[in-house]
Amino acid sequence: MGETNAQIFTIHKMMLEDEDYYEAVVNIIETQKVNAEYAVAVTGENFAEMFSSMEDTYMKARSADVRDISARLIKNPSGENGGFLSDEKVIICAEDLAPSETVSLDKSKVLAFATAFGSSNSHTAILARNMNIPAVIGLGKAFLTQIKNGDIAAVDGYTGEVFVDPDDDTKIL
């Protein structure tokens, strides 16, 4: 995975070991008499909202990490992996990609990806750069209505542009 990418998941581990996060999960379980999955989901969303409301762009981007960690805590014990399956080379267009999803992408099948949400400071963007996958992050919600499954597209990770149904001069082979 490489040292830089591994550091991202070291930060995830530190977040998981955070006493405030742990105590919030336990408190929800004890006071509301709910299951652990629910408590983790609520805690994750509360912490993510706290990060996303911060003014510092680096800290704001950590909200995606908290959501990723919480989702993995919920999914992993159940055996869900949500893996990406495709026999063709594709460009992934999504609302957002979590760091754990990004690092699990099959580089031989993913030509690029584009997301509606996220930022260039996100761990997803950092991982994409380290994996040499062209990516455009944070195109806005309207982007999702402009592209559909099966469309031909080109992604320019340097300029931050996505071309849907590009002309012959724009196509990247």
Side-chain angles (χ1 to χ4, degrees):
M1 178 184 334
E3 187 176 328
T4 303
N5 294 351
Q7 288 175 352
I8 291 170
F9 293 102
T10 298
I11 292 169
H12 280 202
K13 184 176 183 272
M14 289 170 45
M15 288 178 162
L16 278 172
E17 294 169 348
D18 181 79
E19 285 186 36
D20 292 334
Y21 184 92
Y22 174 79
E23 288 174 8
V25 170
V26 170
N27 184 52
I28 290 172
I29 292 169
E30 290 175 348
T31 60
Q32 297 181 27
K33 307 294 184 214
V34 295
N35 65 30
E37 292 87 349
Y38 178 81
V40 168
V42 169
T43 299
E45 193 53 36
N46 289 342
F47 275 61
E49 288 298 319
M50 180 182 65
F51 277 107
S52 67
S53 68
M54 293 180 175
E55 290 187 30
D56 181 270
T57 55
Y58 176 83
M59 295 304 290
K60 189 176 282 209
R62 300 297 63 84
S63 65
D65 294 315
V66 173
R67 285 186 176 98
D68 186 22
I69 291 163
S70 299
R72 286 177 26 222
L73 274 175
I74 294 166
K75 290 178 185 176
N76 284 351
S78 69
E80 291 181 43
N81 64 10
F84 171 73
L85 302 172
S86 176
D87 292 329
E88 299 178 35
K89 292 186 176 192
V90 296
I91 295 172
I92 297 174
C93 297
E95 284 190 11
D96 203 358
L97 286 174
S100 62
E101 293 171 317
T102 304
V103 79
S104 68
L105 294 174
D106 182 347
K107 287 178 22 175
S108 70
K109 301 241 178 12
V110 177
L111 298 170
F113 67 83
T115 67
F117 304 108
S119 75
S120 61
N121 292 324
S122 71
H123 282 153
T124 297
I126 294 166
L127 288 166
R129 286 190 292 272
N130 291 340
M131 296 168 67
N132 292 317
I133 297 176
V136 180
I137 311 288
L139 289 164
K141 193 171 186 171
F143 164 70
L144 296 174
T145 62
Q146 298 168 0
I147 195 162
K148 62 185 179 308
N149 194 25
D151 280 349
I152 303 296
V155 173
D156 187 331
Y158 289 110
T159 65
E161 295 176 281
V162 176
F163 304 94
V164 180
D165 196 22
D167 59 30
D168 288 338
D169 293 334
T170 306
K171 286 183 182 175
I172 300 172
L173 300 176

